[in-house]
Amino acid sequence: MANLGIPRNTIEVLQRHNFTFQKKYGQNFLVDPNVLERVMDAAGVSGEDCVLEIGPGIGTMTQLLAERAGKVVAVEIDRNLIPILEETLAPYSNVTVINEDILKLDVEETIRVRGEGRPVKVVANLPYYITTPIIMSLLEGGAPLESITVMVQKEVAERMQAGPGTKDYGALSLAVQYYSRPEVVANVPPNCFIPRPNVGSAVIRLTRYGTPPVQAADPGKLFTVIRASFNQRRKTLANSLGNAPGLLASRERVAGILEEMGLPAMIRGEALTLEQFAELSDRL
Ligand code: SAM
């Protein structure tokens, strides 16, 4: 089977199938063998694993995953790619392609049925228009995922890794860091894709924690507090959280708790660590 991860072979497959790119699906196919190798190294897939791939495209990464994993489940929304995948993945008996929208699929159930109890790793070159909802639903959903190794827009990778007091720090940073240890493993320029995206990309690996690094009595409430704190970034915490929907706390009550925690009255959400958010949530 010809290596799909180079421009000539990807173009040949696309032309032979008269494929037209659908902008609405965020289709930028990876055509760089070195980057593909970096993704495989970072994902650390072994013969015991089940891999969930989101958006296999023409199957470039899927082939490499099928050679390494016990099982690959690839979820692709674009039905025009299904006949191509049937061809490019024909040599691999351990791959199941599901023609579905990943945001509508019951990932937990799919993995339970298809994964046959194997450890599960997510590996993907994600469609950028829905990166955040995909990552959030994977982290918050009940599926037992060991790690998530994904290509994302460079700025999104930076937001996932950001710490307090930086401009990139926000609800996504806190959610990612509550559930996992993020690590950017490669920066990837636009010329590694067909067609070229308008933005730089990065490969990030999220290694899921067995237990979160902070203990919040009610994680659901913790995330309600975090989202409300960053809803209007320029507001002080007392103003953002006072009377926020779902919290039932007055501005005065929030101000009192901040004082008890030894924090300045005018502090903004962007200055609080994950530990401080957990304490604030418990006190609220
Ligand atoms: N994995 C391929 C590669 O690296 O060359 C393609 C990556 S491309 C950036 C994103 C892929 O996700 C496309 O194949 C696109 O059709 C698919 N996709 C977009 N939205 C999706 C969704 N909601 N559910 C599943 N797949 C989706």
Side-chain angles (χ1 to χ4, degrees):
M1 169 65 58
N3 171 13
L4 293 172
I6 59 171
R8 181 164 34 92
N9 293 344
T10 285
I11 291 166
E12 189 276 318
V13 170
L14 294 176
Q15 285 181 343
R16 190 154 42 76
H17 286 267
N18 281 324
F19 179 78
T20 39
F21 287 100
Q22 300 236 39
K23 226 179 168 160
K24 65 173 179 187
Y25 289 148
Q27 292 173 337
N28 301 99
F29 297 162
L30 190 52
V31 285
D32 187 298
N34 293 327
V35 175
L36 283 159
E37 203 54 51
R38 295 284 286 279
V39 175
M40 292 305 130
D41 285 352
V45 172
S46 81
E48 272 139 45
D49 295 326
C50 170
V51 171
L52 171 66
E53 188 190 7
I54 297 156
I58 64 166
T60 309
M61 219 184 248
T62 327
Q63 290 184 338
L64 302 178
L65 292 168
E67 281 161 16
R68 290 162 172 79
K71 172 83 197 174
V72 180
V73 179
V75 182
E76 173 56 60
I77 196 170
D78 186 353
R79 66 184 162 83
N80 293 331
L81 287 166
I82 303 304
I84 302 185
L85 289 166
E86 273 165 15
E87 177 190 296
T88 60
L89 301 176
Y92 305 96
S93 58
N94 58 343
V95 180
T96 301
V97 175
I98 301 176
N99 185 198
E100 255 284 14
D101 178 346
I102 187 68
L103 293 177
K104 297 202 179 125
L105 186 75
D106 185 337
V107 171
E108 194 178 353
E109 173 69 4
T110 304
I111 282 171
R112 199 182 56 75
V113 174
R114 311 275 182 175
E116 295 157 3
R118 294 184 175 89
V120 184
K121 292 176 173 155
V122 175
V123 186
N125 172 12
L126 287 179
Y128 293 175
Y129 73 107
I130 44 168
T131 301
T132 302
I134 292 176
I135 298 283
M136 293 304 292
S137 72
L138 291 174
L139 290 171
E140 288 178 347
L145 309 176
E146 277 193 356
S147 64
I148 302 175
T149 305
V150 280
M151 180 87 70
V152 297
Q153 198 175 323
K154 189 162 177 279
E155 282 90 69
V156 177
E158 281 159 5
R159 275 163 47 205
M160 290 187 200
Q161 269 199 320
T166 62
K167 71 168 174 31
D168 293 328
Y169 188 58
L172 180 66
S173 330
L174 284 153
V176 163
Q177 292 165 33
Y178 176 79
Y179 289 107
S180 69
R181 182 169 53 77
E183 186 189 352
V184 170
V185 291
N187 283 318
V188 184
N191 64 6
C192 295
F193 304 88
I194 293 178
R196 294 181 184 196
N198 297 323
V199 292
S201 304
V203 179
I204 189 164
R205 178 187 157 107
L206 312 179
T207 310
R208 219 188 148 97
Y209 294 125
T211 42
V214 302
Q215 301 306 318
D218 177 354
K221 182 161 192 177
L222 170 62
F223 285 105
T224 305
V225 170
I226 288 172
R227 270 191 289 271
S229 302
F230 288 97
N231 247 344
Q232 287 159 294
R233 274 191 93 89
R234 303 310 302 161
K235 275 194 176 181
T236 64
L237 258 187
N239 281 335
S240 305
L241 296 182
N243 302 317
L247 285 179
L248 302 173
S250 66
R251 192 191 171 287
E252 291 67 36
R253 172 98 187 92
V254 178
I257 292 173
L258 292 175
E259 195 179 344
E260 284 162 27
M261 288 173 66
L263 295 169
M266 301 299 284
I267 197 166
R268 295 200 183 103
E270 63 201 26
L272 253 63
T273 63
L274 180 57
E275 290 75 17
Q276 287 168 325
F277 270 114
E279 185 181 346
L280 176 60
S281 154
D282 284 355
R283 286 175 183 252
L284 278 166

